[in-house]
Amino acid sequence: MATQTMSPAGPKIRTKLPGPNAQKILEGDKKYISPSYTRSYPLVVKRGRGVVIEDVDGNEFLDFSAGIAVTSTGHCHPQVVAAIQKQAAELIHMSGTDFYYENMVTLAERLQKVAPMSGPIRVFYGNSGTEAVEAAMKLARYHTKRQGIIAFYGCFHGRTMGSLSLTASKVQQRRRFQPTVPGVAHVPYPYVYRRPEGMTEEQFIADCVSYIEDRVLKTIMAPEECAAIFVEAVQGEGGYVPAPAAYMKALRRICDQHGILLVCDEVQAGCGRTGKWWAVQHSGVEPDIITIAKGIASGMPLGVMISRAEIMDWVPGSHASTFGGNPVCIEAALATMNVLESEAIKNAETVGNFMMARMKKWVDTHPMVGDVRGFGLMIGVEIVKDKKTKALATEERDRIVDLAFERGILFLGAGATSVRLSPPLVLSQEQAEIGMDVLEECISIVEKERK
């Protein structure tokens, strides 16, 4: 696939990292910017094209993070840029929750065609993933007239107070912010690689299902008081962990049995990243509500909550967003969908399969690679100290990510001990090879350091 690059294929590191210009900006950041932000390494970005990022010192990197799985069509895709420029010259804002925009309807019609639930849908627009989740929480409670919500350990749904109540990824995200919204129960995620020793995958899935049915719904949350189950079909910040199809089907059964809504958070895994429009489609399960953001507008701030039409029965004034459905962001989303449908989703599947075929072998050839998993271009490589004990190797994982940065490849961690690969969906096979070469080199270096 053709991508917009600034230099052929590989990274080009011209200075010591961080370079002199980057160091000046880092000093200003330390002085003026909120210390609550998390930065994995000192990358100061100037511009991006396709899969290539250039920093303020002229160093060029291959981006296997896509701005945290956001730039689905690559950085500054020309079709997306043209759509943004055209709309920005015509109308930037009038507030779609108080007036009307034609393109709000146009995007909703497009989303109807690809939505993972059958039948008519309705759409709510916000500005981010956490806002989409907040909207889903409120709608679930409004529609069902119930309060309880079930979420999963390891999940990340956002940091605003409602979505933070669901998030159970890192304790720092919740520290000193309690109490969060009440009525949320957390349950184990079906993290198959970390099932108890001697237990089959089928037994483990059954245990995870039983935890909901025989513990939560029988001891702390009456089924008739549970509004929704929120689940990531591929858990993102938890380690890029796919939920088995059998487990997703069991969730659908539980929800149908008790009148509970099944909400799939597709903020990170959706918009073609897994080689299908939505990660939940790998299981064959239809949700009642999905939440979307990140890759839907290639970097412009847009969050979307889609529900079955009959569920979105709230009345005017129940929920709104001043900037939600901004016309510039929607035009970016429409252009993004064009690129995804014409080439990028298929490319994610093809290049993702190519990468998985190679990296799966690392489990046998590298002592510290415990598992390689995922779909499409959403791949997790789990680093462990010992394959038998599966001991967490957080420091070693972080060292691998840092070494890759020094070599011009941008990876990020996920969960306690995994490296996440979430490049733009326009990644070429040649670029994939370069990224995998560097990742394997860095893993080998850390393995030798541990001996």
Side-chain angles (χ1 to χ4, degrees):
M1 168 178 293
T3 59
Q4 312 82 47
T5 60
M6 291 178 286
S7 291
K12 299 193 181 314
I13 304 303
R14 298 178 169 90
T15 71
K16 180 182 177 181
L17 299 175
N21 293 327
Q23 289 179 7
K24 293 177 184 177
I25 295 167
L26 293 172
E27 291 170 4
D29 187 279
K30 185 176 181 179
K31 182 177 180 180
Y32 294 111
I33 305 302
S34 171
S36 64
Y37 298 160
T38 55
R39 272 71 173 262
S40 296
Y41 35 73
L43 173 68
V44 182
V45 180
K46 180 179 180 180
R47 65 179 181 140
R49 294 293 185 275
V51 184
V52 180
I53 282 292
E54 180 184 330
D55 76 1
V56 291
D57 292 288
N59 298 300
E60 294 184 8
F61 304 79
L62 286 187
D63 183 11
F64 279 72
S65 73
I68 326 295
V70 168
T71 55
S72 55
T73 58
H75 295 281
C76 299
H77 191 287
Q79 292 183 38
V80 177
V81 171
I84 292 169
Q85 291 173 333
K86 180 180 178 182
Q87 182 60 49
E90 185 168 312
L91 178 70
I92 293 176
H93 172 79
M94 188 62 189
S95 189
T97 59
D98 290 272
F99 305 99
Y100 299 90
Y101 299 141
E102 180 181 2
N103 64 3
M104 289 176 71
V105 177
T106 303
L107 179 56
E109 290 172 341
R110 290 283 298 274
L111 290 169
Q112 166 80 74
K113 295 177 182 178
V114 299
M117 58 278 278
S118 55
I121 57 110
R122 282 187 178 272
V123 172
F124 175 89
Y125 294 117
N127 307 283
S128 63
T130 193
E131 289 185 44
V133 170
E134 295 266 352
M137 290 177 68
K138 291 179 71 174
L139 179 62
R141 285 182 164 179
Y142 187 98
H143 176 73
T144 63
K145 301 180 178 65
R146 304 174 180 184
Q147 297 300 307
I149 297 175
I150 294 173
F152 291 84
Y153 292 115
C155 72
F156 183 84
H157 296 289
R159 289 185 173 89
T160 51
M161 290 302 285
S163 60
L164 181 63
S165 308
L166 306 181
T167 292
S169 175
K170 298 181 178 72
V171 70
Q172 184 57 41
Q173 293 162 350
R174 297 168 67 99
R175 181 179 280 128
R176 295 169 67 173
F177 296 125
Q178 305 284 2
T180 54
V181 174
V184 177
H186 286 91
V187 302
Y189 190 83
Y191 196 157
V192 172
Y193 173 69
R194 293 200 165 272
R195 66 187 183 275
E197 187 176 359
M199 181 178 285
T200 67
E201 182 174 335
E202 290 74 19
Q203 290 171 331
F204 178 64
I205 293 170
D207 269 13
C208 290
V209 173
S210 177
Y211 193 99
I212 295 176
E213 293 191 291
D214 298 331
R215 296 185 67 177
V216 173
L217 296 181
K218 288 185 178 179
T219 63
I220 64 170
M221 185 184 296
E224 67 273 13
E225 295 180 357
C226 181
I229 297 176
F230 278 70
V231 64
E232 299 165 273
V234 180
Q235 198 170 70
E237 195 166 302
Y240 274 32
V241 185
Y247 185 79
M248 294 298 294
K249 288 179 170 62
L251 289 185
R252 181 72 269 177
R253 174 184 57 78
I254 292 169
C255 289
D256 290 342
Q257 181 179 347
H258 299 292
I260 300 168
L261 300 179
L262 181 61
V263 182
C264 284
D265 184 333
E266 294 276 353
V267 169
Q268 185 162 179
C271 301
R273 176 147 299 280
T274 65
K276 294 183 182 292
W277 256 108
W278 314 108
V280 69
Q281 291 174 317
H282 290 277
S283 69
V285 167
E286 290 193 7
D288 299 299
I289 297 173
I290 64 170
T291 58
I292 312 166
K294 288 190 180 290
I296 191 60
S298 297
M300 294 297 287
L302 179 66
V304 187
M305 185 264 287
I306 299 177
S307 80
R308 299 182 189 275
E310 67 271 16
I311 292 171
M312 200 174 289
D313 55 1
W314 49 17
V315 298
S318 300
H319 195 46
S321 168
T322 297
F323 296 105
N326 172 273
V328 180
C329 297
I330 289 199
E331 287 302 316
L334 290 167
T336 296
M337 290 185 74
N338 290 341
V339 177
L340 294 179
E341 291 176 341
S342 65
E343 53 181 342
I345 295 177
K346 180 60 179 176
N347 189 68
E349 179 186 25
T350 301
V351 178
N353 288 342
F354 167 74
M355 294 177 70
M356 286 289 286
R358 172 177 168 180
M359 292 192 294
K360 281 279 190 182
K361 298 174 183 177
W362 294 356
V363 175
D364 297 322
T365 59
H366 285 278
M368 292 184 65
V369 177
D371 192 28
V372 177
R373 54 182 176 256
F375 300 110
L377 290 175
M378 187 173 189
I379 301 172
V381 179
E382 181 146 354
I383 308 299
V384 295
K385 293 179 184 291
D386 178 85
K387 288 189 179 180
K388 182 174 178 58
T389 65
K390 301 178 183 177
L392 301 178
T394 305
E395 291 183 3
E396 292 85 349
R397 185 274 312 277
D398 292 346
R399 171 75 171 144
I400 290 167
V401 170
D402 288 342
L403 287 170
F405 170 65
E406 293 171 4
R407 287 157 176 76
I409 305 294
L410 307 179
F411 296 116
L412 291 172
T417 192
S418 296
V419 179
R420 76 173 88 179
L421 287 80
S422 58
L425 307 188
V426 295
L427 182 77
S428 70
Q429 184 169 310
E430 180 185 13
Q431 292 167 330
E433 286 272 25
I434 294 169
M436 289 188 291
D437 286 346
V438 170
L439 179 55
E440 187 170 17
E441 176 191 355
C442 296
I443 291 170
S444 296
I445 291 171
V446 174
E447 287 172 339
K448 290 177 182 177
E449 291 175 346
R450 292 192 70 246
K451 289 183 179 179

